[in-house]
Amino acid sequence: MTHLIDRRLQGKNKSAVNRERFLRRYKGQIKDAVGRAIKGRSITDVENGEKVSIPVKDVNEPTFGHAHGGVWEVINPGNQEYQKGDQINRPKSGGGSGRGKAGNSDQTTEDDFIFELSREEFMNYFFEDLELPHMVKTQLTATTEFKNQRAGYTVSGTPSNIHVLRSLRGALGRRIAVGGNSRKRLTEAEHELSALLEAGAPLDDPHVLELKKLIHHLHTRLLAIPFIDPFDLRYSNRIKVPKPMTQAVMFCIMDVSGSMDESRKDTAKRFFILLYLFLKRVYEKIEVVFIRHHTAAAEVDENEFFHSRESGGTVVSSALHLLNKIIDERYGGGSWNSYVAQASDGDNWDNDSVLCKQLLVNSIMPKVQYYTYVEITDGPPQNLWEQYALVPDHHPHFAMQKIVTPADIYPVFRELFKKQPK
């Protein structure tokens, strides 16, 4: 059996492959731990890494053991303390998870396995089952991104990209080519020596001694040919090839009227911060448009969207008119996938709520792939909610959710952006 041993020094990330294998193997336990971790942290800290614990029983490696074979007769000693049917008290809790009390018990336990996820790994698991619903490729654009694609083999590369089979095949071909003449001459010399000895030539005959010396030299020369040489190594080659992509735009609309107090504004800001992180992470080529409104609407940058103190009355239709105008002027023509997320307390002029519903049904919904409305209130649904509830009858790609406390942000977000069945 042939063993290929690579004795070259590895890089500083030599354990990266083992780490990826561990993450794949215990994906379920790590996802559960991430789910528990995000419930107790602030949304503003969502990008940080996390230390997660996995029960020891879940990381135990399977082992083989030898069982007792045959038929065994065992006599166990009796006892004077227990009788059949007795109930035994549960042992007192000990160490292991850090929650037991001190005592003189000789029981030993094992701590849970603590595994630290990096910021990148934590965000991967958090956003793994989320996506922009109904993402469709409406039109291929001239903007392209690149993907890695295999393109044969190369003579240089990193140790992790070594193609073992191809390298061994090259080494075998080199040994055959380099040692071909010597192997042929060795066979001829061995036949010639055998013929001389069969003819009765003495062992001290000069010709016999010369042939033995030649055979020894050829054997030494063949053994000196290395099994594998750096010249034989071949690496999997990957090149970047352009692939077409689609364009997407996300509109964030927030109510900043007088009825939206600081706590409600803070909840809306937290929802949009989470949404913004999600969009920037999952869709690298996506534009985000921020619209804030009270009696009038305005397109603003990210900093003003989250930190401006301007306030006033409530006319939601002003934001929808501006949204419709921006779509027509900059994102029309069927070349963009448009998504809208709106946050409000639902308090609006009665007549204006009817106008908002008409704008959505007749003008906006036919131009967007998905529209989400989040109402931030601890009371009964407002008039805007009642009008918006009629929109799904005309357009199924419209979703509504209610947020009462900041604790509802995560469940609402995951419900709005969960992966759709194929």
Side-chain angles (χ1 to χ4, degrees):
M1 182 177 181
T2 301
H3 296 276
L4 178 63
I5 302 176
D6 187 1
R7 297 186 181 276
R8 292 172 299 172
L9 297 178
Q10 298 190 39
K12 60 181 180 179
N13 296 323
K14 61 183 179 181
S15 62
V17 176
N18 291 335
R19 184 179 182 89
E20 292 176 0
R21 186 183 299 113
F22 178 86
L23 293 176
R24 290 195 303 268
R25 181 170 183 177
Y26 301 105
K27 182 178 180 180
Q29 292 92 327
I30 294 176
K31 285 195 65 175
D32 292 340
V34 169
R36 294 191 301 267
I38 60 178
K39 292 180 181 178
R41 63 162 50 184
S42 170
I43 292 179
T44 56
D45 299 327
V46 71
E47 281 196 298
N48 294 336
E50 181 69 23
K51 288 185 177 180
V52 298
S53 60
I54 302 176
V56 175
K57 63 181 179 65
D58 290 338
V59 296
N60 287 338
E61 296 290 342
T63 58
F64 290 98
H66 297 283
H68 294 295
V71 178
W72 287 71
E73 294 183 2
V74 180
I75 300 177
N76 295 317
N79 66 83
Q80 299 178 355
E81 183 178 356
Y82 300 107
Q83 300 294 330
K84 184 178 181 180
D86 288 349
Q87 294 184 355
I88 302 175
N89 294 329
R90 182 189 299 273
K92 294 182 179 180
S93 61
S97 59
R99 295 183 291 271
K101 297 182 179 179
N104 57 1
S105 174
D106 58 355
Q107 294 180 342
T108 59
T109 58
E110 292 185 81
D111 291 334
D112 290 344
F113 178 74
I114 304 299
F115 183 73
E116 185 168 358
L117 292 175
S118 67
R119 170 183 174 274
E120 188 74 15
E121 292 166 344
F122 183 86
M123 297 296 285
N124 281 337
Y125 280 103
F126 179 71
F127 287 129
E128 182 180 30
D129 55 350
L130 301 179
E131 68 175 0
L132 285 180
H134 312 293
M135 184 70 172
V136 293
K137 297 182 178 180
T138 55
Q139 179 175 329
L140 298 180
T141 67
T143 305
T144 58
E145 64 178 4
F146 295 88
K147 64 178 180 179
N148 287 328
Q149 178 176 300
R150 294 191 61 178
Y153 307 96
T154 181
V155 296
S156 61
T158 60
S160 60
N161 288 334
I162 289 179
H163 196 281
V164 177
L165 183 60
R166 191 77 176 191
S167 299
L168 289 177
R169 185 186 302 172
L172 178 60
R174 175 186 52 79
R175 293 198 306 273
I176 292 175
V178 173
N181 292 333
S182 298
R183 197 173 292 107
K184 181 179 179 181
R185 183 70 184 94
L186 175 62
T187 302
E188 295 175 352
E190 288 177 341
H191 286 309
E192 187 176 354
L193 177 61
S194 177
L196 288 175
L197 294 177
E198 290 179 358
L203 296 178
D204 56 353
D205 184 89
H207 196 190
V208 172
L209 294 176
E210 184 181 353
L211 287 175
K212 287 184 177 182
K213 184 178 179 180
L214 177 61
I215 291 173
H216 177 74
H217 171 73
L218 293 174
H219 271 296
T220 304
R221 186 173 181 178
L222 289 174
L223 291 176
I225 299 175
F227 177 79
I228 191 167
D229 189 86
F231 174 79
D232 304 322
L233 295 179
R234 293 296 180 270
Y235 301 84
S236 297
N237 187 31
R238 291 177 173 85
I239 60 175
K240 290 185 176 181
V241 296
K243 67 175 183 179
M245 58 170 295
T246 56
Q247 297 180 126
V249 57
M250 184 76 187
F251 294 92
C252 298
I253 303 176
M254 183 167 66
D255 183 0
V256 294
S257 62
S259 59
M260 287 281 288
D261 56 23
E262 286 302 319
S263 62
R264 292 179 179 177
K265 289 180 181 179
D266 182 66
T267 301
K269 290 176 184 179
R270 287 170 176 259
F271 176 81
F272 283 117
I273 287 173
L274 185 60
L275 176 59
Y276 185 74
L277 289 175
F278 168 62
L279 294 175
K280 282 296 185 182
R281 180 175 187 81
V282 179
Y283 297 98
E284 185 175 343
K285 302 296 183 181
I286 186 170
E287 292 191 14
V288 182
V289 177
F290 298 99
I291 299 176
R292 62 196 312 272
H293 73 89
H294 38 82
T295 54
E299 180 181 357
V300 296
D301 58 20
E302 178 186 353
N303 183 66
E304 186 177 356
F305 183 80
F306 288 122
H307 301 102
S308 176
R309 296 182 178 275
E310 183 181 357
S311 185
T314 309
V315 180
V316 179
S317 61
S318 62
L320 299 186
H321 279 298
L322 179 58
L323 168 66
N324 191 41
K325 178 182 178 182
I326 294 175
I327 293 177
D328 289 339
E329 292 179 353
R330 297 180 357 219
Y331 303 103
S335 60
W336 288 84
N337 297 289
S338 301
Y339 297 85
V340 185
Q342 179 183 0
S344 173
D345 64 344
D347 187 13
N348 191 28
W349 291 351
D350 291 340
N351 293 336
D352 190 66
S353 297
V354 176
L355 177 60
C356 290
K357 179 248 182 181
Q358 294 175 350
L359 283 171
L360 286 174
V361 173
N362 299 326
S363 301
I364 297 176
M365 290 306 301
K367 304 174 185 177
V368 302
Q369 271 67 46
Y370 195 59
Y371 195 112
T372 63
Y373 171 67
V374 176
E375 187 163 297
I376 307 172
T377 178
D378 55 359
Q382 301 296 312
N383 53 15
L384 185 62
W385 177 282
E386 296 174 355
Q387 292 297 320
Y388 274 12
L390 304 176
V391 177
D393 296 336
H394 304 274
H395 299 281
H397 296 168
F398 184 91
M400 303 170 57
Q401 289 290 331
K402 183 178 179 181
I403 294 179
V404 179
T405 65
D408 299 329
I409 295 177
Y410 278 115
V412 166
F413 182 83
R414 299 185 75 86
E415 179 65 26
L416 289 174
F417 293 94
K418 65 183 179 181
K419 286 189 175 181
Q420 303 297 318
K422 302 301 181 180

